[in-house]
Amino acid sequence: MTTTPEYAARRREVIRRHHPDVGGDPERLRLELSRLDREFGRAPQPASTFRVPPTAEATDARLTVRPSRPLRRLQRRTAAQIRQIRGRLPRSVPGSRRYFDI
């Protein structure tokens, strides 16, 4: 059975909106995909395809966001300042970067 580009695009849209990994409901995902399959005259997918691991239901979905350029610049400057301060600490202080005297 060939897949039309319109069907594939609509299916991706439904999965992006209702998938459990992004906070959607697994039952709602099943219903929406079944409705889409009926709309395009396709046989529904087997139920085993839509099983959700038990750990995925218990965890909340978190998105990873890349920090903006000013934030990355601030992080680099802060790390450089910390290295500079640690270099000035005496050897006896934990966290100093002086491992031996030259």
Side-chain angles (χ1 to χ4, degrees):
M1 181 180 292
T2 61
T3 303
T4 64
E6 181 185 357
Y7 173 77
R10 296 263 310 272
R11 184 172 171 87
R12 260 186 260 116
E13 179 184 334
V14 167
I15 290 173
R16 283 183 186 138
R17 187 176 302 138
H18 300 292
H19 198 276
D21 288 349
V22 292
D25 181 34
E27 188 58 35
R28 177 79 189 264
L29 176 64
R30 284 187 204 105
L31 292 173
E32 290 294 325
L33 288 176
S34 296
R35 183 189 58 75
L36 185 67
D37 288 338
R38 282 193 309 273
E39 184 180 326
F40 279 88
R42 298 176 141 261
Q45 300 290 327
S48 62
T49 307
F50 303 113
R51 285 205 183 123
V52 177
T55 56
E57 292 174 351
T59 60
D60 54 48
R62 293 191 179 137
L63 298 176
T64 304
V65 179
R66 184 175 176 200
S68 64
R69 184 171 288 165
L71 182 58
R72 287 193 310 258
R73 188 178 309 134
L74 178 65
Q75 289 171 336
R76 283 194 305 269
R77 285 181 184 168
T78 304
Q81 287 175 345
I82 290 171
R83 282 192 303 272
Q84 185 179 23
I85 291 169
R86 283 183 175 173
R88 293 178 181 170
L89 292 173
R91 261 177 78 182
S92 60
V93 175
S96 67
R97 291 183 54 96
R98 296 187 184 189
Y99 303 110
F100 56 89
D101 288 328
I102 298 178

XYZ file of all heavy atoms in Angstrom:
838
model
N 0.848 -1.163 0.000
C 0.000 0.000 0.000
C 0.897 1.232 0.000
O 1.762 1.401 0.855
C -0.889 -0.025 1.248
C -1.822 1.142 1.324
S -2.870 1.120 2.797
C -3.910 -0.260 2.500
N 0.734 2.121 -0.944
C 1.554 3.319 -1.032
C 0.992 4.406 -0.127
O -0.199 4.454 0.151
C 1.609 3.837 -2.481
O 0.292 4.151 -2.891
C 2.226 2.810 -3.398
N 1.864 5.269 0.320
C 1.475 6.356 1.202
C 1.488 7.654 0.421
O 2.486 8.001 -0.216
C 2.466 6.460 2.373
O 2.507 5.212 3.041
C 2.054 7.538 3.336
N 0.388 8.387 0.476
C 0.336 9.678 -0.197
C 1.018 10.724 0.674
O 1.035 10.609 1.897
C -1.122 10.102 -0.451
O -1.769 10.283 0.814
C -1.868 9.066 -1.273
N 1.596 11.739 0.058
C 2.261 12.789 0.853
C 1.293 13.490 1.809
O 1.670 13.841 2.930
C 2.784 13.762 -0.201
C 2.879 12.967 -1.449
C 1.805 11.930 -1.373
N 0.047 13.660 1.386
C -0.930 14.328 2.259
C -1.209 13.482 3.504
O -1.256 13.994 4.621
C -2.233 14.575 1.506
C -3.273 15.278 2.353
C -4.606 15.413 1.638
O -4.712 15.006 0.467
O -5.533 15.922 2.282
N -1.371 12.155 3.310
C -1.611 11.259 4.441
C -0.422 11.273 5.397
O -0.586 11.379 6.610
C -1.875 9.836 3.947
C -1.970 8.813 5.055
C -3.121 8.709 5.824
C -0.910 7.967 5.337
C -3.210 7.785 6.850
C -0.988 7.037 6.361
C -2.146 6.941 7.108
O -2.228 6.026 8.131
N 0.781 11.194 4.850
C 1.981 11.171 5.685
C 2.114 12.471 6.478
O 2.454 12.449 7.673
C 3.220 10.944 4.829
N 1.837 13.599 5.842
C 1.938 14.889 6.526
C 0.903 15.003 7.639
O 1.214 15.447 8.752
C 1.769 16.027 5.520
N -0.328 14.586 7.351
C -1.384 14.649 8.375
C -1.072 13.702 9.531
O -1.309 14.028 10.687
C -2.740 14.281 7.756
C -3.231 15.233 6.680
C -4.199 16.287 7.153
N -5.307 15.809 7.931
C -6.481 15.389 7.447
N -6.683 15.395 6.138
N -7.425 14.996 8.259
N -0.523 12.514 9.232
C -0.185 11.549 10.269
C 0.933 12.107 11.163
O 0.866 12.008 12.391
C 0.246 10.235 9.627
C 0.531 9.131 10.620
C 0.765 7.816 9.910
N 1.229 6.814 10.824
C 0.446 6.028 11.551
N -0.859 6.152 11.443
N 0.955 5.146 12.378
N 1.959 12.710 10.550
C 3.028 13.325 11.330
C 2.486 14.429 12.229
O 2.878 14.561 13.387
C 4.091 13.922 10.398
C 5.291 13.024 10.256
C 6.388 13.672 9.455
N 6.295 13.120 8.109
C 6.011 13.780 6.997
N 5.843 15.039 7.011
N 5.916 13.203 5.851
N 1.560 15.230 11.704
C 0.964 16.315 12.475
C 0.213 15.771 13.695
O 0.358 16.292 14.811
C 0.009 17.108 11.582
C -0.681 18.249 12.274
C -1.689 18.917 11.362
O -1.523 18.849 10.123
O -2.638 19.484 11.895
N -0.565 14.699 13.495
C -1.315 14.090 14.604
C -0.347 13.515 15.640
O -0.537 13.701 16.847
C -2.272 12.990 14.070
C -2.809 12.137 15.203
C -3.409 13.619 13.287
N 0.697 12.859 15.186
C 1.652 12.258 16.117
C 2.392 13.346 16.889
O 2.593 13.225 18.102
C 2.622 11.326 15.371
C 1.860 10.085 14.897
C 3.798 10.930 16.251
C 2.647 9.163 14.010
N 2.795 14.418 16.235
C 3.484 15.505 16.937
C 2.591 16.137 17.998
O 3.061 16.553 19.047
C 3.916 16.587 15.950
C 5.129 16.217 15.168
C 5.551 17.343 14.262
N 6.642 16.923 13.409
C 6.744 17.214 12.129
N 5.829 17.959 11.548
N 7.763 16.786 11.434
N 1.310 16.214 17.724
C 0.395 16.868 18.650
C 0.016 15.974 19.827
O -0.123 16.454 20.951
C -0.864 17.302 17.900
C -1.780 18.136 18.770
C -2.975 18.662 18.023
N -2.551 19.463 16.878
C -3.126 19.404 15.683
N -4.129 18.606 15.480
N -2.703 20.159 14.708
N -0.167 14.661 19.600
C -0.758 13.803 20.622
C 0.169 12.710 21.153
O -0.275 11.878 21.937
C -2.024 13.136 20.065
C -3.069 14.122 19.652
N -3.749 14.906 20.544
C -3.537 14.462 18.417
C -4.591 15.673 19.891
N -4.483 15.433 18.600
N 1.436 12.667 20.756
C 2.319 11.592 21.198
C 2.627 11.728 22.690
O 2.835 12.837 23.192
C 3.628 11.606 20.400
C 4.365 10.317 20.496
N 5.198 10.035 21.536
C 4.373 9.233 19.687
C 5.710 8.824 21.369
N 5.217 8.316 20.258
N 2.680 10.619 23.431
C 2.944 10.679 24.877
C 4.304 11.284 25.233
O 4.464 11.845 26.303
C 2.885 9.213 25.318
C 2.115 8.517 24.279
C 2.340 9.264 23.000
N 5.280 11.198 24.363
C 6.599 11.750 24.664
C 6.591 13.271 24.732
O 7.505 13.876 25.289
C 7.628 11.305 23.625
C 7.983 9.841 23.776
O 7.601 9.241 24.802
O 8.634 9.304 22.868
N 5.581 13.914 24.151
C 5.473 15.370 24.216
C 4.289 15.798 25.079
O 3.784 16.901 24.951
C 5.370 16.004 22.807
C 6.662 15.845 22.050
C 4.204 15.444 22.032
N 3.840 14.902 25.946
C 2.790 15.247 26.894
C 1.381 14.920 26.438
O 0.422 15.309 27.092
N 1.233 14.213 25.329
C -0.094 13.854 24.841
C -0.637 12.606 25.520
O 0.046 11.924 26.272
N -1.880 12.319 25.233
C -2.556 11.157 25.806
C -2.477 9.995 24.818
O -2.842 10.149 23.642
C -4.017 11.519 26.092
C -4.792 10.386 26.705
O -4.195 9.618 27.473
O -6.004 10.282 26.424
N -2.012 8.798 25.256
C -1.898 7.670 24.331
C -3.240 7.245 23.735
O -3.317 6.901 22.562
C -1.313 6.537 25.171
C -0.898 7.121 26.458
C -1.500 8.470 26.578
N -4.292 7.318 24.542
C -5.617 6.929 24.037
C -6.095 7.912 22.971
O -6.655 7.524 21.956
C -6.618 6.864 25.196
C -7.955 6.282 24.811
C -7.859 4.872 24.242
O -6.996 4.089 24.690
O -8.649 4.559 23.315
N -5.845 9.193 23.193
C -6.232 10.213 22.211
C -5.444 10.013 20.912
O -5.994 10.179 19.821
C -5.965 11.594 22.803
C -6.258 12.736 21.872
C -7.736 13.036 21.817
N -8.064 13.979 20.792
C -8.205 15.284 20.996
N -8.069 15.780 22.196
N -8.501 16.069 20.000
N -4.162 9.629 21.026
C -3.349 9.358 19.847
C -3.947 8.209 19.042
O -4.084 8.294 17.817
C -1.905 9.034 20.241
C -0.961 8.635 19.108
C -0.764 9.783 18.134
C 0.367 8.162 19.657
N -4.346 7.133 19.735
C -4.967 5.991 19.045
C -6.235 6.412 18.311
O -6.459 6.040 17.160
C -5.303 4.891 20.053
C -4.125 4.113 20.496
C -4.562 2.922 21.357
N -3.445 2.536 22.206
C -3.352 2.780 23.498
N -4.332 3.360 24.131
N -2.291 2.420 24.158
N -7.073 7.187 19.002
C -8.334 7.609 18.397
C -8.109 8.488 17.170
O -8.761 8.309 16.136
C -9.187 8.356 19.425
C -9.736 7.522 20.572
C -10.405 8.416 21.609
C -10.711 6.486 20.050
N -7.195 9.443 17.294
C -6.936 10.354 16.171
C -6.333 9.613 14.976
O -6.689 9.875 13.826
C -6.004 11.487 16.615
C -6.640 12.462 17.576
C -7.767 13.251 16.951
O -7.692 13.588 15.747
O -8.740 13.527 17.663
N -5.421 8.664 15.223
C -4.840 7.904 14.114
C -5.872 6.985 13.472
O -5.881 6.815 12.245
C -3.626 7.100 14.597
C -2.382 7.940 14.911
C -1.284 7.066 15.473
C -1.897 8.686 13.687
N -6.760 6.410 14.275
C -7.841 5.576 13.710
C -8.757 6.421 12.845
O -9.173 6.003 11.766
C -8.642 4.926 14.828
O -7.839 4.048 15.556
N -9.090 7.627 13.334
C -9.954 8.528 12.555
C -9.278 8.905 11.243
O -9.907 8.900 10.180
C -10.254 9.781 13.374
C -11.209 10.739 12.683
C -11.320 12.054 13.404
N -10.042 12.751 13.547
C -9.414 13.391 12.556
N -9.930 13.408 11.346
N -8.271 13.991 12.778
N -7.989 9.170 11.286
C -7.246 9.526 10.077
C -7.204 8.349 9.105
O -7.374 8.525 7.896
C -5.824 9.959 10.454
C -4.955 10.473 9.319
C -5.503 11.793 8.795
C -3.533 10.643 9.794
N -6.987 7.137 9.619
C -6.973 5.947 8.758
C -8.325 5.745 8.080
O -8.397 5.422 6.889
C -6.602 4.710 9.572
C -5.127 4.711 9.976
O -4.335 5.408 9.313
O -4.787 4.010 10.938
N -9.413 5.928 8.835
C -10.750 5.789 8.235
C -10.984 6.855 7.178
O -11.557 6.596 6.125
C -11.830 5.893 9.321
C -12.000 4.635 10.135
C -13.269 4.665 10.968
N -13.402 5.882 11.765
C -12.895 6.061 12.987
N -12.201 5.098 13.556
N -13.077 7.198 13.634
N -10.521 8.066 7.448
C -10.698 9.174 6.504
C -9.999 8.898 5.176
O -10.511 9.237 4.115
C -10.154 10.456 7.136
C -10.353 11.699 6.307
C -9.789 12.921 6.996
O -9.843 12.990 8.232
O -9.283 13.809 6.271
N -8.839 8.259 5.228
C -8.087 7.958 4.007
C -8.369 6.548 3.489
O -7.731 6.109 2.540
C -6.590 8.138 4.253
C -6.157 9.575 4.165
C -6.190 10.396 5.281
C -5.735 10.115 2.963
C -5.802 11.709 5.212
C -5.347 11.435 2.885
C -5.377 12.245 4.007
N -9.304 5.832 4.111
C -9.677 4.504 3.647
C -8.586 3.467 3.827
O -8.415 2.572 3.010
N -7.838 3.571 4.909
C -6.757 2.631 5.184
C -7.168 1.711 6.322
O -8.008 2.041 7.135
C -5.488 3.380 5.598
C -4.984 4.277 4.504
C -3.791 5.069 4.999
N -2.827 5.162 3.921
C -1.761 4.397 3.783
N -1.483 3.490 4.665
N -0.962 4.531 2.762
N -6.508 0.561 6.378
C -6.742 -0.360 7.489
C -6.079 0.228 8.732
O -4.955 0.731 8.658
C -6.145 -1.726 7.176
N -6.753 0.183 9.878
C -6.137 0.732 11.086
C -4.875 -0.039 11.468
O -4.755 -1.228 11.205
C -7.211 0.600 12.162
C -8.303 -0.218 11.576
C -8.085 -0.335 10.106
N -3.948 0.673 12.103
C -2.702 0.059 12.545
C -2.984 -0.883 13.708
O -3.908 -0.671 14.471
C -1.722 1.142 13.006
C -1.366 2.140 11.937
C -0.513 1.526 10.858
O 0.280 0.635 11.135
N -0.664 1.987 9.633
N -2.202 -1.955 13.862
C -2.407 -2.849 15.004
C -2.187 -2.116 16.321
O -1.382 -1.199 16.405
C -1.366 -3.949 14.817
C -0.523 -3.554 13.681
C -1.131 -2.378 12.999
N -2.903 -2.538 17.352
C -2.826 -1.875 18.651
C -1.445 -1.996 19.266
O -1.028 -1.142 20.038
C -3.870 -2.455 19.593
N -0.706 -3.057 18.954
C 0.616 -3.237 19.559
C 1.585 -2.140 19.128
O 2.573 -1.878 19.805
C 1.180 -4.598 19.175
O 1.349 -4.668 17.777
N 1.318 -1.474 18.011
C 2.178 -0.402 17.538
C 2.154 0.781 18.496
O 3.118 1.510 18.611
C 1.718 0.078 16.147
O 1.632 -1.047 15.293
C 2.664 1.084 15.555
N 1.059 0.967 19.214
C 0.874 2.160 20.021
C 1.107 1.930 21.504
O 0.705 2.729 22.312
C -0.541 2.706 19.824
C -0.827 3.000 18.391
C -1.763 2.270 17.700
C -0.147 3.995 17.732
C -2.032 2.539 16.383
C -0.408 4.274 16.415
C -1.346 3.546 15.743
N 1.743 0.853 21.897
C 1.994 0.619 23.315
C 2.983 1.646 23.851
O 3.964 1.978 23.203
C 2.548 -0.781 23.539
C 1.470 -1.811 23.408
C 1.810 -3.054 24.194
N 0.758 -4.027 23.946
C 0.954 -5.213 23.469
N 2.167 -5.634 23.223
N -0.051 -6.021 23.252
N 2.724 2.096 25.051
C 3.582 3.068 25.697
C 4.287 2.375 26.849
O 3.644 1.710 27.651
C 2.735 4.245 26.233
C 3.603 5.240 26.964
C 1.977 4.891 25.104
N 5.609 2.487 26.953
C 6.297 1.873 28.087
C 5.785 2.463 29.391
O 5.467 3.652 29.454
C 7.765 2.236 27.871
C 7.857 2.863 26.543
C 6.491 3.154 26.044
N 5.687 1.653 30.438
C 5.126 2.157 31.685
C 5.915 3.329 32.272
O 5.357 4.193 32.898
C 5.157 0.958 32.630
C 5.899 -0.108 31.938
C 6.058 0.265 30.512
N 7.213 3.379 32.030
C 7.997 4.479 32.579
C 7.690 5.788 31.870
O 7.792 6.844 32.460
C 9.496 4.181 32.457
O 9.803 3.917 31.091
C 9.896 3.013 33.321
N 7.296 5.737 30.602
C 7.012 6.958 29.860
C 5.759 7.639 30.390
O 5.643 8.859 30.339
C 6.849 6.654 28.378
N 4.806 6.872 30.903
C 3.587 7.475 31.436
C 3.869 8.168 32.760
O 3.251 9.158 33.099
C 2.512 6.414 31.634
C 1.998 5.843 30.336
C 1.034 4.694 30.550
O 0.892 4.237 31.698
O 0.425 4.272 29.571
N 4.828 7.645 33.529
C 5.092 8.185 34.855
C 5.938 9.458 34.805
O 5.859 10.285 35.694
C 5.798 7.138 35.708
N 6.749 9.629 33.767
C 7.618 10.804 33.701
C 6.907 11.926 32.972
O 6.035 11.704 32.138
C 8.922 10.473 32.953
O 8.599 10.063 31.619
C 9.692 9.390 33.661
N 7.287 13.145 33.309
C 6.726 14.274 32.577
C 7.640 14.598 31.409
O 8.841 14.415 31.466
C 6.527 15.487 33.489
C 7.795 15.871 34.228
O 8.838 15.960 33.570
O 7.735 16.058 35.442
N 7.043 15.068 30.338
C 7.813 15.365 29.131
C 8.521 16.705 29.311
O 7.921 17.681 29.727
C 6.884 15.422 27.925
N 9.820 16.729 29.014
C 10.586 17.960 29.106
C 11.258 18.207 27.773
O 11.816 17.308 27.173
C 11.637 17.853 30.192
C 11.014 17.757 31.558
C 12.040 17.922 32.633
N 11.369 17.852 33.909
C 11.815 17.191 34.941
N 12.942 16.554 34.870
N 11.144 17.178 36.061
N 11.203 19.435 27.342
C 11.846 19.804 26.100
C 13.212 20.394 26.408
O 13.395 21.116 27.379
C 11.011 20.846 25.359
C 9.623 20.395 24.947
C 8.880 21.558 24.307
C 9.715 19.249 23.971
N 14.178 20.087 25.574
C 15.501 20.654 25.724
C 15.587 21.878 24.828
O 15.344 21.805 23.628
C 16.577 19.639 25.309
O 16.395 18.462 26.085
C 17.961 20.196 25.523
N 15.913 23.000 25.433
C 15.991 24.249 24.692
C 17.436 24.714 24.687
O 18.081 24.756 25.730
C 15.098 25.327 25.337
C 15.208 26.632 24.584
C 13.668 24.856 25.404
N 17.940 25.031 23.516
C 19.313 25.512 23.396
C 19.358 26.958 23.878
O 18.539 27.781 23.487
C 19.748 25.428 21.946
C 21.173 25.819 21.744
C 21.587 25.610 20.324
N 22.938 26.082 20.148
C 23.453 26.384 18.988
N 22.745 26.250 17.911
N 24.681 26.808 18.904
N 20.339 27.288 24.753
C 20.407 28.652 25.265
C 20.715 29.655 24.158
O 21.370 29.325 23.163
C 21.541 28.619 26.285
C 22.119 27.269 26.251
C 21.344 26.427 25.323
N 20.253 30.870 24.335
C 20.478 31.914 23.343
C 21.947 32.331 23.345
O 22.706 32.000 24.249
C 19.599 33.125 23.651
O 19.984 33.668 24.897
N 22.337 33.087 22.344
C 23.735 33.518 22.219
C 24.195 34.357 23.418
O 25.280 34.112 23.954
C 23.924 34.284 20.920
C 25.372 34.687 20.687
C 25.589 35.241 19.336
N 25.494 34.141 18.384
C 25.361 34.287 17.085
N 25.295 35.483 16.568
N 25.286 33.263 16.284
N 23.409 35.339 23.897
C 23.865 36.092 25.073
C 24.023 35.209 26.308
O 24.952 35.405 27.097
C 22.769 37.134 25.287
C 22.104 37.273 23.971
C 22.212 35.934 23.316
N 23.151 34.236 26.467
C 23.263 33.342 27.618
C 24.520 32.472 27.513
O 25.227 32.277 28.500
C 22.016 32.466 27.740
C 21.997 31.518 28.931
C 22.121 32.291 30.232
C 20.729 30.695 28.927
N 24.812 31.954 26.323
C 26.034 31.158 26.140
C 27.267 32.006 26.410
O 28.236 31.551 27.026
C 26.086 30.583 24.729
C 25.114 29.450 24.501
C 25.404 28.713 23.218
N 25.552 29.581 22.068
C 24.618 29.785 21.146
N 23.468 29.166 21.231
N 24.829 30.591 20.135
N 27.254 33.271 25.965
C 28.371 34.179 26.203
C 28.550 34.397 27.708
O 29.670 34.379 28.224
C 28.112 35.505 25.496
C 29.288 36.447 25.522
C 29.025 37.742 24.770
N 28.529 37.492 23.429
C 27.491 38.134 22.884
N 26.847 39.053 23.557
N 27.105 37.862 21.656
N 27.447 34.580 28.423
C 27.503 34.762 29.873
C 28.060 33.517 30.559
O 28.874 33.612 31.485
C 26.118 35.093 30.413
C 25.997 35.258 31.924
C 26.798 36.459 32.385
C 24.541 35.391 32.312
N 27.647 32.332 30.087
C 28.148 31.088 30.662
C 29.658 30.966 30.463
O 30.382 30.560 31.373
C 27.440 29.886 30.041
C 25.999 29.740 30.475
C 25.258 28.677 29.681
O 25.638 28.346 28.551
N 24.195 28.154 30.254
N 30.141 31.300 29.263
C 31.583 31.226 28.996
C 32.364 32.210 29.864
O 33.407 31.878 30.417
C 31.853 31.493 27.512
C 31.548 30.319 26.613
C 32.142 30.520 25.225
N 31.723 31.757 24.590
C 30.659 31.869 23.799
N 29.898 30.827 23.542
N 30.351 33.026 23.247
N 31.856 33.452 29.977
C 32.535 34.456 30.792
C 32.575 34.031 32.257
O 33.586 34.209 32.934
C 31.841 35.801 30.667
C 32.108 36.488 29.359
C 31.425 37.821 29.303
N 31.607 38.451 28.014
C 30.934 39.505 27.606
N 30.016 40.048 28.394
N 31.144 40.012 26.430
N 31.469 33.501 32.750
C 31.414 33.057 34.144
C 32.398 31.928 34.382
O 33.119 31.919 35.389
C 29.984 32.605 34.502
O 29.078 33.670 34.228
C 29.876 32.213 35.958
N 32.461 30.960 33.474
C 33.403 29.851 33.620
C 34.839 30.363 33.604
O 35.688 29.892 34.372
C 33.186 28.832 32.512
N 35.132 31.346 32.751
C 36.487 31.906 32.690
C 36.824 32.621 33.993
O 37.954 32.504 34.503
C 36.609 32.868 31.516
N 35.868 33.336 34.560
C 36.108 34.030 35.826
C 36.340 33.035 36.960
O 37.196 33.249 37.818
C 34.939 34.951 36.159
C 34.885 36.183 35.291
C 33.659 37.027 35.561
O 32.709 36.571 36.188
N 33.679 38.259 35.067
N 35.595 31.949 36.970
C 35.781 30.918 37.995
C 37.165 30.305 37.880
O 37.866 30.114 38.877
C 34.680 29.848 37.898
C 33.343 30.440 38.344
C 35.028 28.614 38.729
C 32.147 29.538 38.091
N 37.614 30.018 36.645
C 38.970 29.481 36.455
C 40.019 30.473 36.943
O 41.002 30.095 37.583
C 39.200 29.146 34.983
C 38.575 27.852 34.534
C 39.069 27.433 33.156
N 38.837 28.444 32.129
C 37.720 28.548 31.408
N 36.734 27.688 31.602
N 37.590 29.488 30.505
N 39.798 31.750 36.665
C 40.744 32.780 37.079
C 40.825 32.867 38.610
O 41.912 32.940 39.183
C 40.321 34.123 36.498
C 41.280 35.246 36.746
C 40.790 36.537 36.109
O 39.600 36.696 35.860
N 41.712 37.441 35.839
N 39.687 32.845 39.270
C 39.660 32.917 40.732
C 40.300 31.677 41.341
O 41.088 31.771 42.281
C 38.214 33.097 41.244
C 37.709 34.484 40.862
C 38.121 32.885 42.741
C 36.224 34.683 41.075
N 40.004 30.507 40.809
C 40.598 29.278 41.329
C 42.117 29.274 41.166
O 42.841 28.706 41.974
C 40.005 28.059 40.634
C 38.635 27.715 41.122
C 38.150 26.461 40.454
N 36.878 26.048 41.002
C 36.154 25.063 40.536
N 36.587 24.362 39.501
N 35.010 24.751 41.084
N 42.602 29.892 40.124
C 44.040 29.977 39.909
C 44.732 30.857 40.924
O 45.926 30.718 41.170
N 44.008 31.802 41.526
C 44.583 32.713 42.508
C 44.495 32.182 43.938
O 45.080 32.753 44.840
C 43.863 34.053 42.443
C 44.117 34.785 41.153
C 43.361 36.074 41.117
N 43.589 36.762 39.862
C 42.915 37.817 39.473
N 41.969 38.315 40.239
N 43.167 38.372 38.323
N 43.734 31.119 44.146
C 43.570 30.571 45.486
C 44.845 29.862 45.928
O 45.561 29.287 45.109
C 42.405 29.572 45.524
C 41.011 30.141 45.339
C 39.991 29.007 45.239
C 40.649 31.073 46.474
N 45.145 29.877 47.231
C 46.292 29.126 47.711
C 46.081 27.626 47.541
O 44.950 27.158 47.453
C 46.383 29.490 49.194
C 45.270 30.402 49.495
C 44.477 30.619 48.266
N 47.181 26.883 47.497
C 47.099 25.436 47.283
C 46.284 24.727 48.344
O 45.648 23.712 48.079
C 48.502 24.836 47.289
C 49.040 24.604 45.921
C 50.427 24.101 45.989
N 50.444 22.676 46.328
C 51.548 21.984 46.486
N 52.711 22.576 46.383
N 51.495 20.718 46.754
N 46.263 25.242 49.545
C 45.596 24.558 50.651
C 44.072 24.635 50.562
O 43.379 23.884 51.240
C 46.050 25.157 51.977
O 45.731 26.544 52.020
N 43.547 25.513 49.728
C 42.095 25.693 49.619
C 41.526 24.671 48.637
O 42.027 24.547 47.512
C 41.761 27.126 49.146
C 40.272 27.289 48.925
C 42.276 28.144 50.127
N 40.496 23.919 49.063
C 39.872 22.980 48.113
C 39.282 23.741 46.926
O 38.700 24.807 47.089
C 38.760 22.326 48.936
C 39.091 22.590 50.359
C 39.900 23.845 50.381
N 39.461 23.205 45.745
C 38.951 23.835 44.535
C 39.980 24.685 43.832
O 39.725 25.197 42.753
N 41.166 24.843 44.432
C 42.195 25.644 43.768
C 42.754 24.852 42.595
O 42.710 23.635 42.567
C 43.313 26.008 44.739
O 44.019 24.848 45.107
N 43.314 25.588 41.632
C 43.841 24.923 40.444
C 45.355 24.784 40.502
O 45.979 24.436 39.521
C 43.438 25.714 39.198
C 41.954 25.643 38.943
C 41.578 26.372 37.673
N 42.315 25.935 36.522
C 41.893 25.039 35.639
N 40.746 24.463 35.815
N 42.630 24.734 34.596
N 45.951 25.039 41.629
C 47.404 24.914 41.759
C 47.735 23.537 42.302
O 47.532 23.264 43.479
C 47.943 25.989 42.671
C 47.713 27.347 42.071
C 48.384 28.386 42.868
N 48.030 29.680 42.259
C 48.574 30.785 42.599
N 49.492 30.823 43.524
N 48.219 31.906 42.016
N 48.238 22.728 41.439
C 48.544 21.367 41.830
C 49.984 21.238 42.328
O 50.316 20.354 43.079
C 48.315 20.423 40.645
C 46.908 20.518 40.139
C 46.630 21.089 38.911
C 45.838 20.066 40.908
C 45.330 21.209 38.447
C 44.546 20.162 40.452
C 44.288 20.731 39.219
O 43.013 20.840 38.774
N 50.875 22.142 41.897
C 52.265 22.120 42.342
C 52.841 23.517 42.110
O 52.326 24.301 41.327
C 53.077 21.068 41.591
C 53.034 21.216 40.105
C 53.959 22.014 39.451
C 52.066 20.569 39.353
C 53.917 22.161 38.076
C 52.033 20.701 37.984
C 52.950 21.505 37.335
N 53.894 23.820 42.832
C 54.563 25.108 42.684
C 55.624 25.002 41.604
O 56.332 24.002 41.486
C 55.238 25.514 44.004
C 54.216 25.919 45.050
O 53.166 26.458 44.652
O 54.460 25.654 46.243
N 55.735 26.026 40.811
C 56.750 26.049 39.756
C 57.932 26.863 40.208
O 57.855 27.856 40.788
C 56.175 26.609 38.442
C 55.065 25.729 37.975
C 57.249 26.754 37.400
C 54.387 26.186 36.719
